[in-house]
Amino acid sequence: MTVITEANKTKARELTAQLTLDEKIAIVHAAGLFRNGNAERLGIPPLRMDDGPMGVRAELHNDNWAPLYNTRDYVTYCRPARRSPPHGTPTWPA
């Protein structure tokens, strides 16, 4: 986990000041399925995202839902998180 320090804030401000308008738009805009754009010139990579309780899904092409690789390797299910009681609940119902 990255700690937010004054040095980190300063670096973020400096990087933001160097970004062009097109790079700023790319970073906050989708550039394919489950990823945003980047600012390669400044070494800012795209974020690769996923959603839902099923965890990591198959890697997809940027413009369609066809899997890139082994189609039998679909997802990883995070069972321990699903079995945890909600915050503040003393016991989990059977």
Side-chain angles (χ1 to χ4, degrees):
M1 184 171 110
T2 302
V3 177
I4 299 174
T5 63
E6 287 305 316
N8 290 344
K9 289 180 187 179
T10 300
K11 184 175 181 177
R13 287 187 191 104
E14 289 170 355
L15 280 172
T16 303
Q18 294 177 52
L19 289 168
T20 66
L21 179 58
D22 286 342
E23 288 169 332
K24 289 175 184 176
I25 292 168
I27 289 171
V28 299
H29 193 275
L33 293 174
F34 299 104
R35 73 177 181 86
N36 69 333
N38 64 347
E40 189 174 324
R41 178 179 67 87
L42 297 174
I44 300 172
L47 296 175
R48 304 213 183 269
M49 296 163 261
D50 209 338
D51 64 343
M54 296 303 287
V56 180
R57 67 177 80 231
E59 194 167 344
L60 307 169
H61 290 274
N62 281 324
D63 58 355
N64 65 58
W65 293 96
L68 280 174
Y69 307 112
N70 184 352
T71 58
R72 294 174 294 142
D73 186 18
Y74 288 106
V75 297
T76 303
Y77 186 69
C78 186
R79 186 156 176 84
R82 301 278 298 168
R83 300 280 307 198
S84 301
H87 179 70
T89 304
T91 58
W92 189 252

